[in-house]
Amino acid sequence: MIRIERLSHRYQLGAKSKDRSVSVLHDIDLHVKEGEIVTLVGRSGSGKSTLLHAACGFIRPSSGRVIIDGQDTANFSEGDWADFRRQRIGVIFQSFQLIPSMTAYENIELPLVLEGIGETERNQRTNQLLERFGLAGYAEHYPGELSGGQQQRVGIARALALKPRIVMADEPTGSLDSDNERQFLDTLQQLNAEERITFLIITHDEHVASIGHRIVRIEDGRLSEIASPRPLASTASAQQQEVSSR
Ligand code: ADP
Ligand code: MG
């Protein structure tokens, strides 16, 4: 579902000088299968956000390929990426990125408006999401009138508004207390199990990491797989066994 091939990235520092650059990702290969949850861990500065930003088109990698849902993104313009993200990828940011002049309701509804979805369906979907994320009482609140955890939940709900097949998240639970984190992880596993949504999630938190079918570590811009708590294939066959033993 997400195929990253030999991806390297180097940030240019300053305007012109070529020698002032920093190499952040080295030959990264990562394949996230449909219906899989991969969690990405690593120290601060190890390149996690850069990798995620390259995977969803916020930065153009120095080299390598990103193929998502069978689509090679090499020739995408910024506009192509914006449309593609809106339609296929739910992105959850570390810093929420809510629009301050819009209410919680309007923030969640925004992708539905941009996609030209009719008012009745928008209403229904937005209210469903507000409900699901415990925000029903906060629909008319502006981001500045919400706690960090509530803002984060608005960001998560917005990412799910168009029912993406893929969700990429950068530290999605960073501002959640343990109750809200538990709830978020339950929702995520439910979406994964029921709708086969594919997840790529950056995290510091070992609870979050442990929900991955696979846990991948990034260190100095290089990847290594550190654990497969519940590999996807065996999960599927376990489910099959469960079904056939009923
Ligand atoms: P992480 O998310 O794992 O903390 P990042 O991907 O944000 O790591 O950063 C990896 C490295 O790249 C860090 O050393 C950081 O300073 C550097 N870096 C990140 N963004 C930029 C940028 N826009 N310009 C230059 N260097 C950057
Ligand atoms: Mg980061």
Side-chain angles (χ1 to χ4, degrees), residues 17 20 93 96 151 157 227:
S17 88
R20 288 189 67 235
F93 301 93
F96 326 130
Q151 290 179 46

Side-chain angles (χ1 to χ4, degrees), residues 149-211:
Q150 289 166 337
Q151 290 179 46
Q152 194 147 29
R153 282 181 278 149
V154 173
I156 294 165
R158 180 185 57 187
L160 296 172
L162 285 170
K163 303 190 176 180
R165 303 300 309 145
I166 302 169
V167 171
M168 298 195 199
D170 194 345
E171 303 278 4
T173 62
S175 308
L176 301 183
D177 59 27
S178 55
D179 278 354
N180 279 313
E181 176 180 301
R182 191 64 261 156
Q183 205 180 341
F184 170 71
L185 293 179
D186 287 348
T187 305
L188 188 155
Q189 285 180 297
Q190 201 181 344
L191 290 166
N192 176 253
E194 290 169 9
E195 299 174 32
R196 265 181 86 72
I197 296 178
T198 305
F199 288 89
L200 178 58
I201 302 171
I202 293 178
T203 186
H204 261 82
D205 181 311
E206 60 187 66
H207 291 292
V208 180
S210 68
I211 69 152

